[in-house]
Amino acid sequence: MLYGADYNPDQWPEEVWDEDVRLMQEAGVNIVSLGIFAWSRIQPAEDVWDFEWLDTVIDKLHAGGIAVNLATATASPPPWVSATYPETLPADESGASYWPGSRQHFAPSSPTYRRLAGELVRRLAERYVHHPAVVMWHVGNEFGCHLWMDFSDAARDAYRVWLQNRYATVDALNDAWGTSFWSQRYGGFDEVFPPRLAPYSHNPSSMLDWRRFTSDMLLECYLMEREILQAAGATQPITTNFMGPFKPADYRKWAPFMDVIADDCYPDPANPHRVRDAAFQRDLVRSLKPGVPWLLWEQATDAVNWRPANPGKRPGALVAETAQSIARGADGIMFFQWRQSRAGSEKFHSAMLPHAGTRTRIWDAVTELGARLAALPALPAPGRDAQVALVFDWENWWAVEERDHPTEIDYLALVLEWYGAFHARHIQVDIVGPEEVEGYDLVVAPALYLLRDEGGAALTRFVEAGGTLLTGPFSDIVDAHDQFRDGGFLTQLGPVLGLRFEDFGALAGTSSAAAGVGALNADAVQAARSAAARGAVTFELNGTELSGRVVAESIHASGADVVAAFTSGAQTGAPALTRHRFGAGEAWYTATQPGADALDAVVGAVVAASGVHPVVAGLPAGVEAARRGDLVTLINHGDARVEIAIEGTDAETGVAVDRVVLDPQGVAFVSAPAAPSGPAAPSGPSLTASDAVARA
Ligand code: GLA
C-alpha cells in the first residue's frame, strides 16, 4: 500500500528537509509526489536551470527509504513564460486573456507552451530517469482543473486542424453539424472559430466537437510528456491525476494511456450524499482499468480551503473514506499535501503535517492511519466483482446537457440517483461506457440521449445474450453528431424494448433549474429541490402510487408488457414502466425519471428480474459494503454501533470471524470469497501500482 502526499520542498528552506524525511518515516510515508509546482524553481529563467536542490531532496528521500513519484512540473508556467511568450496564455469565451498569478494559465494547444513544457520534461527525464528513488512519473497536474475551456487564438488554430483531421472536407463538417440551419454553412475550415461569445446558442453539434477537441488537447499535452519520458528511457509507470467524474476530460478515452489510474477525491463533509458520491467516483475510476488497482492520489486529511465554508472531517471519517477507496480498488492512499503551506492560496488547506505541528489531532490520525495501512496484508486485485453495470458516458454528458432541449437534465446528478439506489442496497456496480456492457447481469443506462451505433449494437447484443437492460427516459435520441436519426426516436433500442416512442412530455417544475440550480438563497433551493423530488406526475407500480419527474414520455408498447402505467397527467393510462423479452434477456424502459419515493421500487423490480445480489445481505442502514476479489470491506457510516454477521477471516488480524462489530465510522476488512459470478477479470497492463509498490 502506497502512503504519502504531494511534497513541495521548494516552498521551504533546506533546513526543514531532514525533519520532513524523519517525520515522513514516523508517519509511515513510503512515497511522495515531488515538485508538482516547481517549474519556476527548476527553471528560474529561460536559459537558467537549477537541479541541485532537487538532486539533494531526491537523495535525502532515497536515503530515508521514501520513494518518489516525480512530477514533470508543467502545470504552472513561471512568470517569465507569460511575460516572454504571451501567446501561451489561454482566453475566456469573449477572447479576453487569462493572466498569470495563479496556476494552470496555459493554453493547452499553444505550440510555444508545448515546446517549453517539453524541454522541461526532457531535462527532468534525462537527469532522473535512472534514479533508483524515482518509481513513478506524475505528468502535469489535474489537467483542465481550473480551465475548462480555452478560446484563445492558439485554440482556434488547433481546432481548425483538429476538424480537418476529423472531417477531411468542409462539406463533411457541414453535414455533421447540420449547418444549413441558421445560415451556418462554412466555405472552409479557416472560417471556423471556437464557440466564443455569441448572441444566442451555438450549434449543438459544433459544441459536441468542441468538447471532444478540448478533451483531446489536454490529452495531447499528457501524451507529449509521456512520449518524452519514454524516449528518455523511463520504465516507471507514468500517469496523471484524474478528478473522478470531471466533465471536460473524457477519461475513458484517456485511460489506456495511463499505466495506472490515479484519482483525487475530496468528499464535501457538508454533502449529505458524500458517501454515495465518493463511492461512485471510486467505482468509476476502478472501472476505467478493469482488474488493475488504482491510486488515491490526493485526499485531504481534514478541511480544504476552496469551498465557501470548510468544516473539517467528522471524527473517524478519514479512516472511513480511506477504507472506501481501498474497498473499491485503491492500492495507494495519498494526500494533498505533506507539510501545510505557510504562504499562498492553500495555507488553510489541511496537510499530513499541520502548521500547528505534531501535537495535533491530525498528526495522530495520520500516523495511526499509516500504521494501520502498513499492517494490511497484500490485497487482491479488484476483479470484475460487479454483476451490475451503470452506463456513464462523457460524450452523452456533453450532448445531453446542451441547451434548447425539452428540459434541462443534470446528467451526473441523475446518474448518481440511480447509483445511490444500488449503493443503498449494497449491490456492487461498475461504471462503464455503453460499448462495455458484455458479461454483466444487469445494465442500467439512464438518459443515454446520445447513443453511438457501437453502443446501440452492444446493448442489443447484451440483451440478446441474456442480460437485463434498464434504460430511459430521454435515451437513444441522437447519433454521434447530436442529430436525430431517420425513423424517429428509440431507433436502435426500440426493437429490443418492444416500444415505439412518440413524444418527450417535459414536466414543468422538475428540471435541474427547478431543483435549485441558480436559486438565490438556501430556502429557495430547499423548497425547489423538495418540490422537484416530489415529482409532477404519478404512476402505479405493484399497487403503490409513486412519483415521476423530469418527463412523462409518450411511448407505445409494441411487444413490451406494461409493468406500470401513469395515473396522472397527460399520459394517464399510458405505459410508465415496461418490460420486454428479447433474445435470451429482457429490456425495461422507464418513461419518467422515478422520484425519490419511486427509485428503489423500480430498481427493486429489475434487481429481482435479473437475480443480482448484494455484497452482503441484510446489512443495517448506514453500513457500506464493497467487494474486491476475496476482500469484503464493511464501513459503518451511521451513528450507532452495529453487529454484522459475516463468515471469513479478519484481513488485518488473520483471525477467523463469523461476525464483526463496528463503532460509528468503524471499518472491517474481511477475507470472504464470493461464489463465482460475472465475467472473468481481464488481465491488466504490465506496469501497475503493484510494480510501483515493489520498486518502493
Ligand atoms: C487539487 C490539486 C492540488 C491542491 C488540491 C487542494 O487536487 O491537485 O494541487 O490544489 O486540489 O485540495
Side-chain angles (χ1 to χ4, degrees), residues 634-653:
L634 298 163
I635 309 169
N636 180 12
H637 298 286
D639 293 326
R641 168 181 279 220
V642 294
E643 188 172 315
I644 298 158
I646 180 166
E647 302 256 346
T649 309
D650 183 318
E652 292 178 279
T653 62

Side-chain angles (χ1 to χ4, degrees), residues 6 37 103 141-142 241 264 266 298 306 336 346 349:
D6 286 13
F37 294 103
R103 64 175 174 182
N141 193 61
E142 290 190 341
N241 41 352
D264 300 347
Y266 291 91
E298 285 183 30
W306 40 265
F336 175 82
E346 295 184 322
H349 196 294

Side-chain angles (χ1 to χ4, degrees), residues 359-488:
R359 288 164 57 192
T360 51
R361 176 181 53 82
I362 291 180
W363 180 254
D364 290 347
V366 158
T367 49
E368 277 165 29
L369 183 61
R372 189 163 179 187
L373 296 183
L376 276 179
L379 301 180
R384 279 279 184 88
D385 300 309
Q387 295 174 284
V388 180
L390 177 60
V391 172
F392 176 72
D393 182 74
W394 267 267
E395 291 196 343
N396 180 56
W397 193 358
W398 299 334
V400 78
E401 291 188 356
E402 262 308 312
R403 296 172 58 167
D404 310 321
H405 284 179
T407 187
E408 287 177 9
I409 287 182
D410 180 336
Y411 179 55
L412 178 59
L414 195 138
V415 165
L416 284 168
E417 280 177 28
W418 286 103
Y419 177 83
F422 288 91
H423 185 259
R425 286 172 167 262
H426 312 110
I427 294 172
Q428 185 112 351
V429 174
D430 282 348
I431 316 294
V432 305
E435 295 84 2
E436 300 172 322
V437 294
E438 190 184 337
Y440 291 98
D441 296 308
L442 172 62
V443 168
V444 182
L448 195 53
Y449 160 81
L450 183 155
L451 180 55
R452 293 176 291 272
D453 297 356
E454 304 78 14
L459 290 168
T460 303
R461 278 196 307 273
F462 165 75
V463 179
E464 252 170 357
T468 301
L469 170 68
L470 169 67
T471 187
F474 209 55
S475 293
D476 189 7
I477 309 287
V478 297
D479 66 10
H481 298 302
D482 198 359
Q483 293 196 20
F484 291 159
R485 293 171 184 272
D486 290 339

Side-chain angles (χ1 to χ4, degrees), residues 130-148:
H130 299 301
H131 196 296
V134 177
V135 300
M136 284 187 68
W137 290 95
H138 179 101
V139 173
N141 193 61
E142 290 190 341
F143 278 99
C145 172
H146 304 300
L147 196 84
W148 280 36

